Amino acid sequence: MNSSSSFSLSRRGLLAMAGIGLASTVFPRKIFAQAGGGVLVIASGQDIPNFDPHTATGYSASFFMRNVYDPLVRVSGNPPEPQPALAESWEVNEDGTEFIFKLNPAAKFHSGNPVTAEDVVYSFGRALRLAKGNSWMIRDIVTPEGVTAIDPATVKFSLTAPYAPFLQVLPWIFVVEKAVVEENLGSDDGETYLMTNTAGSGPFDVARVEIGTLYHLARAPEAWQAGGGNLDGVVWQIVRETATQRLMIERGEAHIAVDLTSEDMDSLEDAPGVVRVIEPEYRTFSIKMNTEHGPCADVNLRKAISYATNYDAILDAAGYADLMIGPLPHGILGHDPELEVYRTDLDKAKEYMAKTETPEGGFTLKMMHVSGLEQQRRWALIMLDSLKQLNIGLEIVPMNWPDMVAACRSPETFPDMFPVYQTANYGDTDNIAYAAYHSSRNGNWQNAVYNDPDTDALIEAARTEIDPEKRVEIYGKFQRKLVEDAPDIFGVLERRKLAMRDAVKGYQFTPVASNAIEAWPLSLG
Amino acid sequence: MTDTAEHIATEPELPKQDKLQRALFRFRQSRLSMLGAVMVALVVFFTAFGTLLAPFPEHIAGGVDTAARFQPPSWAHPFGTNELGQDVLSLVMAGTTVSVLAGLSVVLIGTVIGTLVGAIAGFAGGWIDEILMRLTDLTLTIPGLILAMAVAAALGPGFTNMIIAISLSWWPGYARLVRGEVLAVREESYVNAARAIGASPSRILLRHILPNTVSPIIVKMSLDMGFAILMVAGLGFIGIGIRPPTPEWGTLLSVSRSYMPDYWWTAMAPGMAMFFAVFGFNLLGDGLRDILDPKARR
Amino acid sequence: MLQFIVRRVLLLIPVLVGLTVIMFAIARILPGDPVALAAGPNATQAEIEALTVEYGLDQPVWVQYGHYVSGLLQGDLGTSLLTRRPVAADIAAYLPATLELVFAAMAIAVLLGIPLGLVTAVWRNRWPDYLSQVAAIGAISMPRFFLGLLLQLCFAMWLAWLPLGGRLPIIVIPPPSVTGFLTIDALIAGDWTAFTTALSHLAMPAIAMSLSPLATIMRMMRSSTIEVMQQDYVMTARALGLPRRQIITKYVARNAVSATLTVIGLYFGWLLGGTVLVETVFDWPGLGLYATKAIVSQDMMPVIGVALVIGLLFVLANLVIDLLYGVINPKVRYS
């Protein structure tokens, strides 16, 4: 493979200049400067334990899939737009229930075989059959029978209902080579095989793996995609501490770091050769309250708490972030920047407190947070501080993520307060609205308890509406309704914080899963 | 520090009173033990009054001051402020309580369980001894920190859960020690005499055997205090210790780790406090061992 | 001798059975719902139930234990719920890193601890001796993870002499794996750059781990040397006019070996299980990091596997040490 030869070339360069006992921190900088279009190094805290595009989850897995596999359509730009990937063009019927995709005739798997409509049908069938990973995004919308191959280069999707965000969802369903999976089917639909092997058509393929340490993807010889950069490969290096990621960027040991904190970004401000990317993203942080059980079932208490919250402190602690205006992230379709929301106002807080059964407070609420998530710990302490003013105590319980998920099963086990990060996996308002506020998601961590028939009706109406203007109108009502119900303390939108060396060229920010870097368009120079 | 060989050589039979005085005298002679005793006294003092004496008591209860984040050390904040603007010194002073109380609880529970197991095994002998000692050996082979982490993580954070988790692997040392002492003492003439006049086994155990094992146990407890404090801090460092907002050294250190090197001071005070407390208990324990249990010294 | 080995190896069986029973019991008694995590955040209740059945977690504990043991006999340590990878393969991948760290720490402890112990014994009751005694207790008292952080702060962050963490930078292709120890494999391959780079990564975590055993070896050497120097035969030898240095060297050498063996016996298991915190600080891809990640996700199979492997290594190490005692001191009877 061309990549491995260039990789060892750079190593030979290293050998030449390394000398004896030189610390490794010193020489990589020179290597990267000299090697030119070589191997892009991305420092990330998340391992890639599973390669299967239909079962894996997490942003590291998204990185892997985006570079090793191809979807029918990609997403890029700001605001994000669907772009051709395996499909070079597509048509949609008037009521938005039928999509026809024309495959790019150049598209080839790593095996050299062309990507056919049959592979696409097989992949969607497999994703739905396994019902893991990203398949929830198309569940109930796409059925195995609804995906058909019209001819080897044409696929037709008949949706069960009109679904406005369909094209935004497609970038997350990847196509595998049917023949390869069938050969290695095993007893589990090829799950075991694809966990450590690939059957993709993406611009890169796996070259070297050290579990828990690094994943080296090399440019595939068959790479057929247009618009590529000069990279020979990409390395996803696992660096758990963010401070370490930052130092690696400073010293040129990594080209891109994806998990940096606001403090890291501050200290990189004047670092030579470092480009900081600090962009708003569709990622909300709010604190869900138990609207069904316990003291917070009283809307007046929820409002009192919403007014008592110290929003300035929340923003301070978050660093590069914006306060949320209502339940939706800024800039997403339908978000109303003029919405009237809660801001710190102790008088109003006490006014609503007076309407509750316990105007004097004197009770203790329970808040869980994910142990080890530093931001959540900070916010919990700020809530404790804020609630003191209403004479309400706060018991803070850091928990493992699985236990937190388990606590969401019923209103009785759900705590009074529950912080949640919600990332738009696909760039449509429906993603946030449906997952976070629709009653069908009750029992699930994104919306454990809140249920309101009017809210449900608004979400469903917006989901099946195709006319954007009408959707905006519906989402307007939806936002006002949620502010009135105050099921959450609407917190902050943390900006995406990436740092990269100035040698990285061709980078364009897209506010959807931007930490799962798409390496194909990038160059080193 | 006194010398080893001397102790082994001379241990004349003295009346009890003189024995105690002699021990105290020797303890005072040993400058290191005295240093340890003073350090431990200081740690105990902060355990009791740390929260009261802290310059910013509101921060201990979880109060934040986000406008004053990451201030470097100054007169107002000798160890600076942290990511929420809290006074690091206050948090570390208050953190003494958790560390010492948790350490003490673990050591006490370990001692009680271990003493019971060891005494029963040693006194009963036979298959009971065999089973209990196999269990003891088995527990010793389980990596203690990993076991404690697994149990603490599953039980969820909290003071009691943490102590349960650590105590699970803390008793075997005591069990072995006590059993050894019991076996050694069991055949002594006065025990045989007591048995001959028909004293019940439990009476013999309580009146004759256990008092003789007190010295080595106290030495071990003192030495173990330091390690227990480290274990507590270790759990906190991994992120499975005590619940916030209660300050705890390991947790403070683990949080401040993300802010190195720019805000390095947030890590110094909790780290130094840990070192100080453990050092104190180890110096004291070492001195006690010289005095109370000279034959164990090697 | 052979009989002794066979007997000891046979005794391993109940230990292993006991270990699996204890760890399995703990893993099953504890609260928590790992399946929910394994199923992913968007799984439905039905999917969670299906997965519970898939992993056999719906069956009675003893049935699960039976499955586990029958797998164990075929070298199968079960499957991680979180990553769905076989635990045995993961442990095989992570174990060499931990062993390399532990052996490096032991090597530092022995190479520095023995001469220091000798020197302090000779200078007994003079100020270098007092100082070293305080330092030894200080070394035992120093939290390894705090020391690790301090080293990292000084030598990696401020001075930038040593790398922050990891085993090898990604641009250095690891030498072909023979022992799994990067330093040794690099030497075997004659790859000097890989060797020095691997060594520079190993230095700080190994130093952080070595402090406790170092201090212990030093103290043992000191006291045993003092004892030797006061023994009758040494006095006699001196009276006979043998040079002091020769006497001490002879008797001390044996003491050095036995002190080393004892400390290795004492510390081997402790270090294996205790690498967790240092591995966390230095991002060292070993068993500790692996176990920590599993513990935080309540993924119990890897935890049981790691505990089992560490327990087994601990017992084996002690067996080897007991045998070596006999080699250096033929008076020891194997019974």
Side-chain angles (χ1 to χ4, degrees):
Chain A
M1 237 178 273
N2 55 358
S3 63
S4 53
S5 65
S6 98
F7 199 69
S8 60
L9 247 186
S10 55
R11 181 169 163 252
R12 207 152 295 145
L14 179 153
L15 284 169
M17 76 184 97
I20 296 165
L22 245 183
S24 69
T25 45
V26 185
F27 42 76
R29 186 171 13 208
K30 295 175 191 158
I31 294 297
F32 290 158
Q34 291 190 354
V39 177
L40 179 86
V41 178
I42 303 175
S44 153
Q46 206 178 74
D47 198 2
I48 316 180
N50 180 0
F51 295 167
D52 190 332
H54 298 145
T55 61
T57 52
Y59 77 85
S60 55
S62 297
F63 156 82
F64 186 89
M65 298 175 213
R66 282 181 125 178
N67 291 292
V68 174
Y69 288 91
D70 280 315
L72 282 173
V73 288
R74 294 170 46 229
V75 58
S76 73
N78 192 5
E81 293 290 340
Q83 310 282 344
L86 284 176
E88 59 176 1
S89 64
W90 54 88
E91 289 163 28
V92 54
N93 71 351
E94 218 156 79
D95 59 1
T97 53
E98 251 184 48
F99 286 76
I100 292 173
F101 295 90
K102 276 271 175 218
L103 301 185
N104 190 326
K108 261 195 224 142
F109 285 111
H110 297 147
S111 61
N113 298 327
V115 180
T116 66
E118 198 49 44
D119 295 306
V120 178
V121 173
Y122 179 78
S123 299
F124 276 81
R126 183 172 184 269
L128 289 168
R129 202 159 54 236
L130 295 175
K132 289 170 186 162
N134 293 336
S135 69
W136 62 275
M137 295 181 188
I138 54 169
R139 188 184 298 158
D140 304 332
I141 304 294
V142 179
T143 55
E145 305 75 43
V147 192
T148 44
I150 296 179
D151 64 56
T154 317
V155 192
K156 187 174 106 177
F157 285 78
S158 306
L159 307 186
T160 53
Y163 184 50
F166 185 58
L167 285 175
Q168 304 280 359
V169 166
L170 281 184
W172 303 106
I173 311 295
F174 294 87
V175 174
V176 296
E177 184 172 1
K178 181 182 176 184
V180 174
V181 182
E182 299 254 275
E183 265 169 43
N184 301 284
L185 214 48
S187 60
D188 57 358
D189 222 333
E191 268 194 79
T192 308
Y193 178 77
L194 281 186
M195 194 177 287
T196 47
N197 296 279
T198 63
S201 58
F204 297 91
D205 200 1
V206 180
R208 169 181 156 210
V209 169
E210 281 173 39
I211 297 152
T213 307
L214 68 88
Y215 296 83
H216 177 194
L217 311 180
R219 188 191 192 107
E222 308 78 16
W224 56 272
Q225 292 81 352
N230 68 0
L231 297 184
D232 295 321
V234 197
V235 165
W236 184 262
Q237 189 180 4
I238 314 300
V239 183
R240 286 165 190 89
E241 252 336 274
T242 66
T244 311
Q245 288 189 18
R246 185 245 298 175
L247 282 161
M248 289 177 70
I249 286 287
E250 260 177 89
R251 295 174 185 177
E253 292 171 34
H255 294 108
I256 303 181
V258 296
D259 297 311
L260 300 177
T261 63
S262 291
E263 285 79 15
D264 294 323
M265 295 313 270
D266 284 342
S267 66
L268 283 175
E269 192 170 357
D270 300 316
V274 176
V275 179
R276 303 188 305 162
V277 178
I278 303 174
E279 293 280 352
E281 198 174 278
Y282 300 151
R283 186 165 67 138
T284 66
F285 171 81
S286 28
I287 300 170
K288 304 253 163 198
M289 289 183 272
N290 193 335
T291 54
E292 293 299 308
H293 185 81
C296 289
D298 181 352
V299 68
N300 288 313
L301 180 65
R302 298 204 297 271
K303 285 185 178 173
I305 292 173
S306 295
Y307 276 121
T309 302
N310 184 349
Y311 292 95
D312 288 342
I314 285 191
L315 192 58
D316 276 345
Y320 294 96
D322 304 286
L323 280 179
M324 285 173 74
I325 303 172
L328 296 178
H330 298 193
I332 206 162
L333 179 88
H335 176 249
D336 178 4
E338 306 297 321
L339 195 69
E340 265 198 51
V341 292
Y342 306 96
R343 286 293 173 254
T344 316
D345 185 338
L346 207 55
D347 293 334
K348 282 223 168 115
K350 287 187 171 147
E351 188 185 314
Y352 279 103
M353 195 67 187
K355 295 182 191 174
T356 66
E357 284 172 23
T358 49
E360 299 306 318
F363 54 94
T364 296
L365 297 176
K366 183 167 160 182
M367 177 167 177
M368 292 180 180
H369 76 79
V370 180
S371 65
L373 270 195
E374 171 59 10
Q375 282 297 3
Q376 292 203 356
R377 188 189 65 90
R378 290 185 186 181
W379 282 317
L381 287 173
I382 290 168
M383 286 315 296
L384 178 134
D385 205 34
S386 301
L387 289 177
K388 267 185 205 155
Q389 305 170 75
L390 297 178
N391 192 27
I392 300 174
L394 188 68
E395 182 193 0
I396 302 171
V397 191
M399 293 185 92
N400 294 322
W401 182 236
D403 288 340
M404 299 236 340
V405 172
C408 292
R409 297 268 169 75
S410 80
E412 286 72 33
T413 53
F414 193 64
D416 300 301
M417 294 184 160
F418 187 90
V420 169
Y421 277 110
Q422 171 110 6
T423 306
N425 304 73
Y426 49 94
D428 191 276
T429 321
D430 179 63
N431 186 188
I432 299 270
Y434 191 83
Y437 301 104
H438 194 275
S439 63
S440 70
R441 303 299 289 171
N442 283 173
N444 200 294
W445 63 271
Q446 290 134 314
N447 179 24
V449 290
Y450 174 68
N451 65 83
D452 184 282
D454 295 340
T455 308
D456 283 357
L458 288 168
I459 295 169
E460 283 157 23
R463 179 172 240 225
T464 49
E465 178 58 61
I466 303 204
D467 179 0
E469 271 176 39
K470 286 187 187 150
R471 286 188 83 197
V472 168
E473 200 179 301
I474 301 169
Y475 281 131
K477 282 187 200 156
F478 164 79
Q479 290 167 74
R480 285 188 291 280
K481 164 79 177 145
L482 279 170
V483 171
E484 186 49 37
D485 278 1
D488 302 0
I489 299 162
F490 305 118
V492 291
L493 298 157
E494 272 187 68
R495 297 210 194 144
R496 177 60 68 192
K497 298 174 285 285
L498 307 172
M500 49 189 78
R501 301 294 305 176
D502 55 8
V504 179
K505 311 281 186 222
Y507 179 78
Q508 195 203 5
F509 180 81
T510 303
V512 180
S514 59
N515 47 358
I517 304 280
E518 231 176 353
W520 182 241
L522 304 182
S523 291
L524 284 173
Chain B
M1 195 117 242
T2 46
D3 185 33
T4 325
E6 285 169 11
H7 295 160
I8 300 170
T10 55
E11 193 62 59
E13 287 295 314
L14 290 168
K16 237 180 187 166
Q17 191 69 29
D18 289 355
K19 227 176 180 173
L20 184 72
Q21 269 177 4
R22 201 189 142 104
L24 272 176
F25 171 75
R26 214 191 279 153
F27 188 75
R28 273 195 233 106
Q29 279 293 89
S30 155
R31 269 169 280 177
L32 287 185
S33 317
M34 280 308 287
L35 180 64
V38 170
M39 286 167 79
V40 168
L42 212 61
V43 170
V44 171
F45 176 77
F46 276 116
T47 307
F49 303 110
T51 312
L52 292 174
L53 293 175
F56 293 85
E58 68 273 19
H59 291 169
I60 295 168
V64 298
D65 180 9
T66 48
R69 303 171 64 210
F70 292 125
Q71 292 190 355
S74 63
W75 283 114
H77 304 286
F79 288 97
T81 63
N82 70 2
E83 71 285 350
L84 288 167
Q86 295 167 320
D87 179 48
V88 174
L89 177 66
S90 300
L91 297 183
V92 169
M93 283 170 77
T96 317
T97 315
V98 170
S99 294
V100 172
L101 288 187
L104 194 64
S105 313
V106 166
V107 170
L108 283 178
I109 294 176
T111 310
V112 170
I113 300 179
T115 305
L116 276 177
V117 171
I120 292 173
F123 203 72
W127 61 271
I128 297 179
D129 182 26
E130 187 72 13
I131 287 179
L132 286 177
M133 282 299 110
R134 283 278 161 271
L135 190 68
T136 309
D137 291 348
L138 208 58
T139 314
L140 275 174
T141 59
I142 300 178
L145 182 59
I146 290 180
L147 180 71
M149 281 167 59
V151 175
L155 293 177
F159 191 80
T160 321
N161 291 348
M162 189 172 73
I163 287 167
I164 294 174
I166 302 176
S167 304
L168 272 180
S169 57
W170 210 270
W171 55 271
Y174 293 94
R176 277 189 165 180
L177 192 150
V178 171
R179 177 178 172 268
E181 293 288 332
V182 169
L183 287 183
V185 172
R186 204 167 67 159
E187 302 309 323
E188 300 268 341
S189 49
Y190 60 94
V191 177
N192 279 331
R195 206 181 282 162
I197 60 169
S200 72
S202 60
R203 190 184 154 79
I204 294 174
L205 199 65
L206 281 176
R207 289 294 298 274
H208 299 289
I209 294 184
L210 285 185
N212 276 292
T213 57
V214 163
S215 292
I217 287 182
I218 286 178
V219 171
K220 188 166 166 54
M221 282 174 76
S222 171
L223 286 170
D224 267 8
M225 261 308 280
F227 292 116
I229 289 175
L230 281 185
M231 189 81 131
V232 170
L235 286 188
F237 188 72
I238 296 288
I240 35 180
I242 213 89
R243 284 184 191 182
T246 315
E248 191 273 322
W249 293 338
T251 316
L252 290 173
L253 191 62
S254 127
V255 169
S256 61
R257 206 185 141 203
S258 324
Y259 308 122
M260 295 219 284
D262 307 67
Y263 313 112
W264 53 270
W265 56 83
T266 53
M268 289 306 131
M272 298 309 285
M274 249 180 251
F275 176 59
F276 184 87
V278 180
F279 200 9
F281 278 108
N282 278 345
L283 281 176
L284 179 69
D286 207 61
L288 286 177
R289 177 164 56 187
D290 280 351
I291 292 148
L292 295 175
D293 193 19
K295 64 175 182 271
R297 174 122 172 85
R298 244 188 74 90
Chain C
M1 176 92 170
L2 188 70
Q3 210 181 354
F4 171 76
I5 297 177
V6 170
R7 211 177 90 93
R8 285 286 297 261
V9 170
L10 283 178
L11 271 177
L12 277 181
I13 296 169
V15 171
L16 281 180
V17 172
L19 260 180
T20 53
V21 170
I22 289 182
M23 287 310 291
F24 213 83
I26 288 173
R28 286 294 171 267
I29 289 167
L30 292 175
D33 192 353
V35 181
L37 177 85
N42 297 296
T44 61
Q45 192 62 41
E47 283 161 25
I48 291 172
E49 276 158 23
L51 207 63
T52 310
V53 174
E54 186 184 328
Y55 283 100
L57 294 175
D58 56 330
Q59 289 166 331
V61 181
W62 57 88
V63 177
Q64 292 181 36
Y65 181 73
H67 283 305
Y68 183 73
V69 170
S70 69
L72 203 60
L73 293 174
Q74 297 155 38
D76 179 4
L77 290 170
T79 309
S80 154
L81 271 177
L82 187 63
T83 65
R84 300 170 190 222
R85 294 164 44 83
V87 172
D90 279 348
I91 288 182
Y94 288 109
L95 181 63
T98 295
L99 284 179
E100 184 174 30
L101 185 54
V102 168
F103 283 130
M106 278 294 187
I108 296 174
V110 171
L111 292 180
L112 288 179
I114 286 177
L116 279 175
L118 280 176
V119 168
T120 51
V122 174
W123 286 344
R124 177 158 52 104
N125 292 343
R126 277 184 273 167
W127 68 266
D129 180 36
Y130 285 128
L131 199 70
S132 71
Q133 293 307 299
V134 184
I137 300 179
I140 293 172
S141 310
M142 189 68 179
R144 273 161 295 160
F145 48 103
F146 182 52
L147 177 67
L149 285 180
L150 287 179
L151 289 172
Q152 212 176 32
L153 187 65
C154 289
F155 296 106
M157 292 180 176
W158 285 338
L159 297 171
W161 289 351
L162 289 168
L164 281 159
R167 280 184 94 189
L168 261 195
I170 42 152
I171 44 164
V172 177
I173 291 179
S177 180
V178 182
T179 59
F181 293 6
L182 288 181
T183 42
I184 303 211
D185 285 350
L187 283 181
I188 293 173
D191 189 340
W192 186 246
T193 311
F195 175 72
T196 51
T197 321
L199 204 59
S200 71
H201 282 75
L202 183 59
M204 287 195 295
I207 290 171
M209 294 289 296
S210 71
L211 231 49
S212 267
L214 195 161
T216 310
I217 289 188
M218 185 185 114
R219 295 180 71 176
M220 287 179 67
M221 272 314 288
R222 175 180 176 273
S223 59
S224 66
T225 307
I226 289 171
E227 233 170 282
V228 166
M229 292 196 310
Q230 289 176 342
Q231 298 279 331
D232 287 348
Y233 54 84
V234 178
M235 300 289 185
T236 319
R238 269 173 83 180
L240 287 173
L242 282 170
R244 185 181 150 93
R245 179 168 302 174
Q246 196 183 324
I247 309 160
I248 292 178
T249 317
K250 186 184 166 196
Y251 289 104
V252 155
R254 183 184 286 172
N255 278 336
V257 177
S258 81
T260 307
L261 284 179
T262 311
V263 168
I264 290 175
L266 274 175
Y267 273 97
F268 186 72
W270 183 82
L271 284 174
L272 270 179
T275 53
V276 176
L277 300 169
V278 171
E279 286 184 5
T280 306
V281 170
F282 289 101
D283 230 344
W284 187 262
L287 279 189
L289 259 189
Y290 176 62
T292 309
K293 222 170 96 187
I295 284 168
V296 170
S297 331
Q298 291 182 18
D299 190 0
M300 276 305 173
M301 279 305 176
V303 183
I304 300 176
V306 169
L308 204 60
V309 167
I310 291 181
L312 183 65
L313 285 172
F314 174 72
V315 177
L316 283 178
N318 277 303
L319 171 60
V320 171
I321 284 161
D322 285 353
L323 291 174
L324 287 178
Y325 271 134
V327 174
I328 58 159
N329 186 1
K331 273 181 282 179
V332 174
R333 288 268 163 80
Y334 297 111
S335 53

